[in-house]
Amino acid sequence: MELVADRITKQYKNKIAVDRMSFTLTKGVTGLLGANGAGKTTLMRLLCGILVPDSGTVSCDGMSVGTEEYRDILGYLPQDFGYYPEFSGKDFLLYMSAVKGLTKKDAMRKTKELIELVGLEDAAGKKVRTYSGGMKQRLGIAQALLNDPKILIMDEPTAGLDPQERIRFRELIANIGQERIVLLSTHIVSDLEHIADRLMIMKDGQLLWNGSRSAGGEDLEVFYISVIDEKR
Amino acid sequence: MDNDRIIKYLKEVCQTPEPENKEVFFQRLEERGLTSGRPVVINHGDFLLRQFPYIGKWIWLLSSFLLLFIIGICYGNTGNYPFALTPLLAIGILIETRRSFRWKMAELEHSARFSLRSVMLARMFLVGAVETAGLLIVILLVQPWFSYSVIRISLYMLVPYLTASLVGSVYERNNRSDNAWGSVIICILSSAFFAAAPYYLSIMYEERFTIIWMVAFILLVLSLGISVRRWICDMEGPVWSL
Amino acid sequence: MNLEEQYDRIFKYLYYHLHDIHMAEDLTQETFLRFLESRTYQDENRQLQYLYTIARNLCRQYYRDKTIVYSLDEAMDYPLLEDFEQTLVERIGLIDALQKLSHEEREMLFLRYVNDVPVPVISHLYHVSRFVVYRRLKKILEKVRDEMK
């Protein structure tokens, strides 16, 4: 499994949001670090086929981004997402299962399984609008996993989670991250300390640093600041 | 030399050695349980059916109300203006296409296998198909009250409906981030236009002009197809503004 | 879908591209593993299309744009049939004609007539309409026929 981005560029109005980025993602968890506005969300949308790059290509094992086959193995958690107003947590997951092409039977089974995995058993029948930020975020994580994705892309997955939920999320990612390509973005460096195998640091649409987590040394925060400063 | 002979030679030229490990491989697949019980992806028909319950209930209420209203107006009223009510039916479809964006589901749907395009097409198709079917039933019901043939009534009803859909689809394609009033106004204006038409252009409703309605109908269907296609293919703009 | 039958076809397809029996079989098995690990379709043509997509991608990954050339020796290895002289000449003619086709034309011909891949599947693999596939196949055959005259 290899997700290859080859010189992708995306311009929006006069701003270059992603500037000739090339990298390869393999199995394991990659953390994408960068300040707000560094282009993380645009990059993730490009990797999910939501935006089409102005130039360059994205593909996984030869499957090009934007094809059904690619989307079939993709799980995506956007930074901000909503829900149809009448939805309960369970309805939300069943709806997403249908859009992801799961049969009714598979949809019921996966929904039940994932509700347990993210610990929403008691709230599954309640309307999503009554959920706390952390609960909604857990629901988002669950929908990303419905189709058993081989590529999992999560934009700020820990936003809105309380400390306990954060720990739970870390364990979850550690478990499911081994056999998949996981890319998660954050601007909170400590989120990645224990879960990322690799790091990518982005600034102004460019990749400043790309390497294994261990190369970052003991204190990730210090390393991150040194990389950002170095290129100034 | 004929094609069959070429194909025969082609098969000979492309002869290959036998694979060597096929049996072992399949044995191992079976042991690992990979050859049976794989999860299935639903086909497009199933997808369409599964989308049905997710269409806003208010659309069905509005459509049923309008269709009943048309029957009521037509009853004992054989003027040409009852036909002008059909553009209001298009309001439902046009507003329904905004649902994903309005409720911020667009990005999630976009990255799913059946993607935002399929979701939007499915909604348009389902609402459009049900409304058209309803309209055809209404046409058959009201036809005895008119001196026109079924075909002429169908044209007089469907052309305004398609006009509003077409103008609305062009508007929606270009103004997705604004609020939905534009589409409502377009539908009401189309309705008003076709309501006024019998007074200014009553000649158009004479039998000899049926052919013009026919041509208009065909042109509208084609343009609507093209417009929807372009609309569906361009999902970039609205995504940026999410 | 009969998996074992498709195994032979995919093997044939990969052998046609790679001309290496071990590599072809390795990639055939990899293709099937990937195919079986992912979700399947109700529609048989969709399954076939996915199978060929994986095989083609794997092949591209290993040998980027390698063009296939049939050597004359290989063509002569095949069991010779009745009226020896004529078939031999015609077959060599066919090989020459095939060389003059583009990579894609050759592959399309192979998929349709050697591996009996249904036209709808081919149309998806090349992202063109069925009508275009029919027309192109007809044209390619004409080209081959003209070349062999």
Side-chain angles (χ1 to χ4, degrees), chain A residues 1-2 61-63 68-69 72 100-102 147 150, chain C residues 34 37-39 41-42 46 49-50 53 57-58 61:
Chain A
M1 287 292 284
E2 263 191 356
D61 289 344
M63 283 179 282
E68 283 190 343
E69 286 85 14
D72 198 40
K100 286 178 180 227
L102 271 67
N147 55 330
K150 300 199 169 77
Chain C
R34 287 201 187 172
E37 275 170 0
S38 62
R39 294 194 290 157
Y41 300 95
Q42 289 159 339
R46 291 293 297 271
Q49 179 200 328
Y50 190 38
T53 306
N57 286 338
L58 284 173
Q61 225 169 314

Side-chain angles (χ1 to χ4, degrees), chain B residues 19-28, chain C residues 4 7 25:
Chain B
E20 288 165 359
N21 307 314
K22 180 174 157 185
E23 257 143 58
V24 186
F25 179 68
F26 273 96
Q27 220 167 2
R28 234 179 277 151
Chain C
E4 301 208 13
Y7 184 96
E25 187 142 24

Side-chain angles (χ1 to χ4, degrees), chain A residues 10-12 42 45 49-52 68 71-72 74 76 78 80-87 91-92 94-104 106-107 143, chain B residues 38-42 44 47 50-51 53-54 99-101 103-119 123 235-237 239-242:
Chain A
K10 185 73 189 178
Q11 204 165 353
Y12 180 56
T42 306
R45 285 177 174 168
I50 291 168
L51 294 174
V52 182
E68 283 190 343
R71 284 199 303 273
D72 198 40
L74 173 73
Y76 175 49
D80 187 20
F81 66 93
Y83 45 87
Y84 295 127
E86 69 278 12
F87 275 180
D91 292 337
F92 179 86
L94 288 175
Y95 174 77
M96 283 313 294
S97 309
V99 185
K100 286 178 180 227
L102 271 67
T103 58
K104 266 194 176 137
D106 290 336
Q143 70 74 31
Chain B
R38 285 191 297 147
V40 177
V41 176
I42 57 177
H44 286 86
F47 174 71
R50 295 270 288 279
Q51 279 291 321
Y54 294 113
R99 224 156 98 92
S100 294
F101 292 96
W103 299 104
K104 288 195 190 165
M105 285 291 280
E107 225 178 334
L108 287 174
E109 287 164 346
H110 213 324
S111 62
R113 189 198 164 86
F114 275 94
S115 99
L116 185 55
R117 287 182 189 127
S118 316
V119 172
R123 285 179 189 155
M235 285 287 157
E236 281 251 299
V239 169
W240 276 111
S241 47
L242 285 173

Side-chain angles (χ1 to χ4, degrees), chain B residues 54-65:
Chain B
Y54 294 113
I55 287 171
K57 306 283 174 290
W58 68 275
I59 289 186
W60 303 130
L61 284 174
L62 176 80
S63 310
S64 328
F65 173 77

Side-chain angles (χ1 to χ4, degrees), chain A residues 86-91 115 120-128 130-131:
Chain A
E86 69 278 12
F87 275 180
S88 69
K90 193 178 167 196
D91 292 337
I115 283 172
L120 284 174
E121 293 97 325
D122 298 334
K126 294 191 182 116
K127 296 267 186 263
V128 184
T130 64
Y131 282 22

Side-chain angles (χ1 to χ4, degrees), chain B residues 206-235:
Chain B
E206 285 173 20
E207 189 164 10
R208 59 201 162 104
F209 285 110
T210 305
I211 188 75
I212 293 186
W213 286 86
M214 197 86 91
V215 171
F217 174 77
I218 292 167
L219 284 179
L220 281 167
V221 168
L222 291 178
S223 336
L224 189 61
I226 294 168
S227 173
V228 166
R229 199 191 152 97
R230 281 175 60 186
W231 186 6
I232 292 300
C233 286
D234 167 38
M235 285 287 157

